[in-house]
Amino acid sequence: MLVETVFRSEDVPAAERFACYRELMSLAYAPIELRSDHAADFRVHQRLVRLGAVSVWPGEFQPLVFRRTPKLIRQSDPEVYQLTLVLKGSGRLTLGRQEATVDAYEFHSNDSSRPSETWTGQEPTGIVGVEFPKAQLPLMRGRADRAIGRRMSAKEGVGALLAQFLTQLTRSTDQYTLDDGPRLGTVLTDLVAALFAHTLAAEKSLTPEAHGRTLPLLIQAFIQQHLRDPDLTPPSIAAAHHISLSYLHRLFQDEGTTVASWIRRQRLERARHNLTDPALRDVPIHSIAACWGFAHPTDFSRAFRTAYGLPPKDYRKRAAHSAAQTRG
């Protein structure tokens, strides 16, 4: 199991909660000033997950102000970058002369070596924060600094891929072993580097090793976003990523599959999900199949039965019956 620490305000007397949380943040990250209008009875639930040198912070807390001053930086600087996925609420970041607002499903970034101030909105905020040593980020010198403070979407492209990775990772850490931690940390920093590079429109700034590790993930994210497109083919995918068709096929062979098989599996999974959705129970099966790129119902039925052991019609009936029993 991964190394994980949990802090819940309800486990601490109300009068001590804010001071305890402030101490936790200063010890786990760096000396920091915290202010809140709710300090008298502060509510927070925060976890700290260690992935080798990388830390991940899923949490939810009441409105806060975080502040790193020049004096605090001189006192202690861990030389780290922070990237925060906002899941609920909003915020505003001041970083030197830069100022940016952040809404739900956006990222904001920070640098432990630069004075900053972050305000969360008036409602409770839900986040997944990531903290990693600057030296570990596989970007050419100076590139990461230029990305810090910029708005980055978590709704599409590389940002959506990173957000999916973070939410899945933090949903349940008991499915991973202690040895998985450093490897997951490497994947995470590669994805962050890809997001920074994408934000700067300069993917060439990635080191060759990091680009090689992230390229399959970027291609898979591209496929996921274009599954409804009937023109989604191996040649179009290769062209979109400026690689040869043979190299694309080799990337998927290294994963033990083919491009066409991977696309078909993703489309089948989307169709399967639609067939179990009560809101779509009146949508004809052939319409769902066509929506996900299966032009011929018989081909869809055959592929679906091979993948899930039942024809689509029977699978939908079984799912509806199970849902009815659960409600009953």
Side-chain angles (χ1 to χ4, degrees), residues 22-270:
R22 182 171 53 209
E23 182 179 359
L24 169 70
M25 291 297 291
S26 293
L27 289 174
Y29 167 52
I32 191 169
E33 290 183 5
L34 292 182
R35 301 195 311 271
S36 176
D37 293 337
H38 302 270
D41 186 14
F42 192 67
R43 304 297 177 86
V44 59
H45 183 191
Q46 187 157 313
R47 297 153 55 204
L48 169 60
V49 183
R50 298 287 190 186
L51 305 176
V54 180
S55 299
V56 180
W57 298 78
E60 184 169 332
F61 45 83
Q62 290 180 294
L64 264 177
V65 178
F66 303 84
R67 192 169 181 233
R68 278 277 284 172
T69 65
K71 180 179 179 181
L72 292 174
I73 293 170
R74 289 193 299 270
Q75 180 181 334
S76 177
D77 182 8
E79 292 283 338
V80 296
Y81 290 125
Q82 291 177 310
L83 186 71
T84 302
L85 169 63
V86 179
L87 296 174
K88 182 174 70 172
S90 60
R92 181 163 54 95
L93 170 68
T94 297
L95 189 66
R97 295 183 178 180
Q98 292 178 273
E99 187 167 317
T101 58
V102 185
D103 296 317
Y105 261 74
E106 289 186 331
F107 290 99
H108 76 74
S109 53
N110 211 336
D111 179 346
S112 68
S113 305
R114 297 162 66 180
S116 63
E117 195 161 3
T118 305
W119 299 261
T120 66
Q122 296 303 308
E123 301 297 326
T125 299
I127 66 163
V128 180
V130 182
E131 180 184 293
F132 45 93
K134 295 178 182 181
Q136 190 165 325
L137 193 68
L139 281 176
M140 299 302 183
R141 185 179 300 275
R143 294 288 185 179
D145 286 339
R146 289 175 48 205
I148 296 298
R150 297 182 182 228
R151 294 186 72 168
M152 306 179 197
S153 173
K155 298 177 182 177
E156 58 187 10
V158 184
L161 179 63
L162 175 56
Q164 181 182 17
F165 181 88
L166 286 172
T167 51
Q168 182 172 335
L169 171 68
T170 56
R171 186 176 295 121
S172 177
T173 58
D174 58 6
Q175 59 187 304
Y176 306 106
T177 68
L178 188 61
D179 291 338
D180 289 329
R183 290 189 288 268
L184 291 169
T186 298
V187 173
L188 182 51
T189 51
D190 284 342
L191 287 173
V192 172
L195 177 60
F196 281 11
H198 176 77
T199 301
L200 296 170
E203 288 195 2
K204 62 184 180 181
S205 65
L206 285 173
T207 62
E209 294 80 6
H211 188 270
R213 290 192 296 263
T214 58
L215 184 58
L217 297 171
L218 297 174
I219 291 173
Q220 290 172 15
F222 176 86
I223 292 172
Q224 294 279 10
Q225 292 168 11
H226 294 84
L227 283 175
R228 295 177 184 269
D229 186 351
D231 295 325
L232 181 69
T233 62
S236 69
I237 295 167
H241 292 85
H242 310 290
I243 59 175
S244 69
L245 184 59
S246 60
Y247 184 52
L248 174 68
H249 285 306
R250 190 159 64 249
L251 288 175
F252 278 79
Q253 287 171 359
D254 290 343
E255 299 291 330
T257 186
T258 66
V259 183
S261 295
W262 202 86
I263 293 173
R264 187 185 309 112
R265 181 68 188 188
Q266 301 310 307
R267 285 174 164 167
L268 283 169
E269 183 59 22
R270 297 293 183 92

